[in-house]
Amino acid sequence: MNKTLQRNETREHLLITGEQLCLQRGFTGMGLSELLTLAEVPKGSFYYYFHSKEAFGVALLERYFARYLRDIEFQLQQQSGSTSRERLLCHFRAAERLFREQGHIVGCLGVKLSAEVCDLSESMRNALQHGAGKIIVAYAQALEMAQQQETLHLPQPPAQMAELLYLLWLGASLQSKISREVQPIQLALSTIEQWLKAH
């Protein structure tokens, strides 16, 4: 029991350390030697958990999207008197506010790796696609609920609007990361506010 717990803790420690390195240097810039030195884990232990650096990258993305999806679902499903439309807008406004306060995209492994790894690793590309798909489903559910609450009239069906929201926000986040300016995210937020305007 203790050995199983210890193994899980070592695996998680490697993933936490690896995510921090990837956010700083990107996936290709993250050397295994540096990772193992920082994590204070021997090379043999790394290959006990992950058969390759690519498999480690897949695990990083799966862990990131699982955590991000939990956060999104918590934000969108709170029953605090606000409507589903208001909660969805708050989700995007909070991300825009965080960028303004920090001056950069904070802790977003999906944005960091989306362009970098798609041509390097099919399995990592699939992990990105799978994670994005789950987020789009969460957005679609929120939009469907907003329609049921009669606070929203969408120009497209909820599933299509959810994909548009994700694509717009991802593109704006990438451009804000490139330019280190908040304007792309602010423009995306303004567009989303128009799309989700109550009638």
Side-chain angles (χ1 to χ4, degrees):
M1 186 72 160
N2 289 336
K3 286 184 178 180
T4 300
L5 181 61
Q6 187 176 9
R7 285 197 295 268
N8 289 338
E9 288 175 349
T10 301
R11 185 180 188 276
E12 180 70 5
H13 178 57
L14 281 166
L15 290 169
I16 291 170
T17 306
E19 181 171 333
Q20 292 169 349
L21 282 174
C22 280
L23 288 170
Q24 293 170 10
R25 294 173 175 74
F27 184 72
T28 54
M30 180 195 69
L32 283 185
S33 295
E34 182 182 19
L35 168 63
L36 297 174
T37 298
L38 285 174
E40 298 181 339
V41 172
K43 190 174 184 179
S45 293
F46 176 87
Y47 287 107
Y48 174 82
Y49 301 106
F50 312 100
H51 66 266
S52 65
K53 183 181 176 183
E54 182 181 31
F56 180 70
V58 171
L60 274 177
L61 288 167
E62 289 174 346
R63 177 182 175 276
Y64 163 75
F65 276 110
R67 185 178 71 242
Y68 187 44
L69 185 63
R70 283 195 302 270
D71 291 344
I72 288 176
E73 289 176 339
F74 177 76
Q75 291 171 357
L76 299 184
Q77 294 172 7
Q78 290 181 38
Q79 302 299 322
S80 58
S82 59
T83 65
S84 183
R85 180 189 71 87
E86 289 166 346
R87 292 193 295 272
L88 191 55
L89 284 171
C90 282
H91 162 68
F92 290 108
R93 286 169 178 160
E96 185 268 346
R97 184 172 62 251
L98 186 61
F99 186 94
R100 279 191 287 107
E101 291 172 353
Q102 301 291 330
H104 58 93
I105 302 294
V106 179
C108 190
L109 201 65
V111 172
K112 180 75 174 181
L113 300 187
S114 59
E116 180 189 355
V117 302
C118 286
D119 293 330
L120 296 176
S121 165
E122 185 66 10
S123 57
M124 290 182 71
R125 186 195 67 78
N126 286 333
L128 281 162
Q129 181 68 11
H130 185 66
K134 288 189 172 183
I135 294 169
I136 290 168
V137 168
Y139 288 165
Q141 291 171 345
L143 290 168
E144 288 170 4
M145 187 178 295
Q147 281 191 320
Q148 292 168 8
Q149 294 168 339
E150 299 182 352
T151 62
L152 189 62
H153 300 289
L154 300 172
Q156 304 268 4
Q160 291 180 22
M161 283 301 301
E163 189 166 1
L164 282 172
L165 288 176
Y166 184 82
L167 293 174
L168 175 63
W169 199 254
L170 177 62
S173 298
L174 283 169
Q175 187 56 38
S176 280
K177 183 173 182 59
I178 291 167
S179 65
R180 296 183 180 175
E181 299 287 345
V182 72
Q183 284 84 356
I185 284 181
Q186 288 179 329
L187 180 59
L189 178 59
S190 176
T191 302
I192 290 170
E193 287 173 339
Q194 288 298 313
W195 285 349
L196 303 186
K197 191 174 182 179
H199 296 283

